[in-house]
Amino acid sequence: LLCFRLPLVTPLIFGLLLQPPLTQLSIITQPNIVLLMADDLGIGDVGCYGNDTIRTPNIDRLAKEGVKLTQHIAAAPLCTPSRAAFLTGRYPLRSGMDAINNYRVIFWNAGSGGLPPNETTFAKILQQQGYSTGLIGKWHQGVNCESRSDHCHHPLKHGFDYFYGMPFTLISDCQPTETPEMDRAFRRKLWLSTQMIGLFTLTAVLGRLTGLIPVCWKILTCLAGFSLLFFVTWFSSYGFVRYWNCIMMRNYEVTEQPMVTDRTTSLILRESISFIERNKHKPFLLFLSFLHSHTPLLTTEKFLGRSRHGLYGDNVEEMDWMVGQVLDAIDKEGLKDTTLVYFASDHGGWLERQEDKRQLGGWNGIYRGGKAMGGWEGGIRVPGIFRWPGVLPAGTVIDEPTSLMDIYPTVVHLAGGKVPQDRIIDGRDLMPLLQGTVVHSEHEFLFHYCGIHLHAVRWHQKDSGAIWKAHYVTPIFSPPGAGACYDRGFCPCFGEGVTHHDPPLLFDLSQDPSEAKPLSADTEPLFDTVIRKIGRAIEEHRRTLTPVPEQLSVYNVVWKPWLQPCCGTFPFCWCDKEGDN
């Protein structure tokens, strides 16, 4: 009987073995996950999104071998809130990580605000599922709460086993040769006030000495003391920005204070590859959070002058090379088919970032607006690329609304975990869409905030294919018609710098992705219906919001010396432990 059945069984076995590996997902239950996030990169800066002058062959290769998203949306147009949403899968408003004032990001390592300890990041869930979890590069989600050693906002308290990088963000103050960037206008006002107080004090003293001003020495002493106290109060923070904010850490240890910018790129790349090599025998999560392409655009000599777009283009091309090095490390360890790779930017390019005639910010292609603008596409539409050979179909382009918040449930489900049930998760699992088992994104509405202010809402009308977008608030560009807020440096979220629209400006992004031609009741028969539908969605959305502590309040944002990370005895904080090694 066995001999009779063998000729029948043998072809069946060979047939099963020769089946194409279309569903490796059922075999690879816990893939490695590598998340690559650029800083301030515009969607128009990447070759596979239409740029034909900046060379990005490695990012383009990811798109060719994987899935490219054309409507990938950041939950906020600035670093801190966007990354908080990415890590938690929730609008930053829900965790208190969006601003009620003009301080819209974390300003100091020694501030007390940051990603709240009660938020559950995807890293924490993957850590519980047995993953080795590492963050290399930028954090910008806070460090301490009450003392310089509590590390309540630190990456290691949010699910990462290993951290190497900047707890803050790269700024021009980190480069001694660059013009200071941080709070530039406010710093000028402080200098001017100091000079005026000093001049007034000096005039009073000279008047007393010459007998022209009858004032007692006690008053002059108090006035001089006040002048000195005023200067020391603000200069102790703003005068040492490079020492307080431009630091590198390994886990809880400060390794460079201030950071040595000439070697930062090579160290971040070395740490990333080392993390892959150390953890190749078990599932790992690597979040490589690039310092590129944020000013001051740290670029090694090898890449200077190589692009056709000055220093910014050089910096983007170097980042692309770093992406290639990470992909090569994955290939070298034989992990390509068991690793999901994701590439994105945290928000749109910074149009206003210029020095003299040099453009130091990114380009957002055909999309209107840029960084800091909560409603216009240029501030929130970013590159989004996934690669997982054998699981995700290569060369696929998906033109459906997706969000950076979607990474949260996607990687949690891939790791075999469950999203928290005690809070609202705004992201949606992308695997069905990426694999092609569904046609449409799960998102019907996406809400676009600028700080805590709702600026725009997107409605994906799936039955018609229309993507309606209503703008309730838009920034006033300066100078008029310029396309950005060049006179301010950043577009504001509220106040005199914005326009409120009633009825809202309405666009159909499926026909007008550049948001150039607003519709009206006269030109669009569905205008009133669409506005009512979006209005009801806003009401439902607002019912899901609950009050939480404001992490970016003025108190939480200001510099507090007792919270300052320090590798020595405060205030004598300087070290170079990488150089010592």
Side-chain angles (χ1 to χ4, degrees), residues 361-430:
W363 182 52
N364 301 311
I366 66 170
Y367 304 107
R368 192 173 183 180
K371 176 179 178 176
M373 304 182 208
W376 295 120
E377 288 292 283
I380 55 178
R381 191 183 290 221
V382 297
I385 303 171
F386 289 85
R387 188 193 76 173
W388 187 358
V391 176
L392 302 182
T396 302
V397 178
I398 295 177
D399 190 25
E400 289 281 310
T402 58
S403 170
L404 265 68
M405 296 183 291
D406 296 337
I407 304 310
Y408 186 98
T410 302
V411 301
V412 166
H413 290 151
L414 288 175
K418 293 183 179 180
V419 299
Q421 301 299 305
D422 61 345
R423 64 199 67 188
I424 292 174
I425 302 296
D426 297 297
R428 299 291 181 264
D429 185 1
L430 287 178

Side-chain angles (χ1 to χ4, degrees), residues 101-175:
N101 49 51
N102 287 320
Y103 290 96
R104 296 164 57 188
V105 298
I106 288 173
F107 260 66
W108 299 96
N109 279 325
S112 53
L115 192 62
N118 63 351
E119 286 293 327
T120 302
T121 66
F122 57 69
K124 188 172 290 186
I125 297 177
L126 266 62
Q127 188 181 56
Q128 294 166 354
Q129 293 300 117
Y131 273 69
S132 295
T133 56
L135 168 60
I136 312 295
K138 170 176 173 171
W139 175 236
H140 209 190
Q141 298 292 301
V143 183
N144 299 312
C145 287
E146 297 178 356
S147 72
R148 68 170 51 95
S149 60
D150 65 33
H151 299 113
C152 67
H153 303 306
H154 191 279
L156 267 60
K157 293 291 180 70
H158 279 294
F160 291 100
D161 298 315
Y162 183 76
F163 169 63
Y164 177 80
M166 286 192 77
F168 192 59
T169 182
L170 197 60
I171 50 176
S172 292
D173 303 70
C174 299
Q175 192 83 310

Side-chain angles (χ1 to χ4, degrees), residues 203-401:
T203 301
V205 170
L206 291 176
R208 176 66 175 84
L209 291 174
T210 58
L212 295 176
I213 301 176
V215 59
C216 67
W217 285 110
K218 185 176 181 180
I219 293 177
L220 289 176
T221 303
C222 291
L223 187 59
F226 172 77
S227 302
L228 180 63
L229 181 63
F230 178 78
F231 173 72
V232 169
T233 299
W234 73 262
F235 193 78
S236 61
S237 56
Y238 284 105
F240 298 90
V241 170
R242 185 164 165 256
Y243 284 85
W244 301 152
N245 279 348
C246 304
I247 68 175
M248 298 291 285
M249 296 182 75
R250 178 176 284 105
N251 296 328
Y252 294 131
E253 180 186 22
V254 178
T255 59
E256 295 179 29
Q257 192 168 11
M259 64 193 292
V260 182
T261 55
D262 291 344
R263 64 179 180 225
T264 302
T265 296
S266 61
L267 288 176
I268 285 178
L269 182 58
R270 184 190 73 184
E271 289 283 344
S272 301
I273 294 174
S274 175
F275 183 85
I276 293 171
E277 293 171 345
R278 292 197 310 269
N279 294 284
K280 60 186 177 182
H281 296 302
K282 64 179 293 189
F284 65 82
L285 163 70
L286 170 61
F287 178 17
L288 172 48
S289 179
F290 290 103
L291 302 184
H292 297 61
S293 50
H294 200 293
T295 49
L297 301 173
L298 299 183
T299 308
T300 58
E301 188 174 351
K302 176 182 175 182
F303 285 88
L304 289 176
R306 284 185 44 165
S307 81
R308 292 162 56 184
H309 284 278
L311 183 59
Y312 181 84
D314 299 343
N315 194 255
V316 172
E317 291 192 5
E318 180 174 58
M319 179 185 65
D320 178 81
W321 171 78
M322 294 174 72
V323 170
Q325 295 296 299
V326 172
L327 297 180
D328 289 347
I330 292 171
D331 292 351
K332 178 184 174 184
E333 301 300 337
L335 302 174
K336 182 175 181 178
D337 293 340
T338 57
T339 302
L340 172 68
V341 179
Y342 166 75
F343 177 85
S345 178
D346 55 355
H347 49 71
W350 190 357
L351 301 179
E352 297 94 343
R353 190 64 177 98
Q354 300 172 332
E355 290 291 347
D356 299 322
K357 294 184 179 180
R358 293 191 303 162
Q359 177 62 34
L360 301 180
W363 182 52
N364 301 311
I366 66 170
Y367 304 107
R368 192 173 183 180
K371 176 179 178 176
M373 304 182 208
W376 295 120
E377 288 292 283
I380 55 178
R381 191 183 290 221
V382 297
I385 303 171
F386 289 85
R387 188 193 76 173
W388 187 358
V391 176
L392 302 182
T396 302
V397 178
I398 295 177
D399 190 25
E400 289 281 310

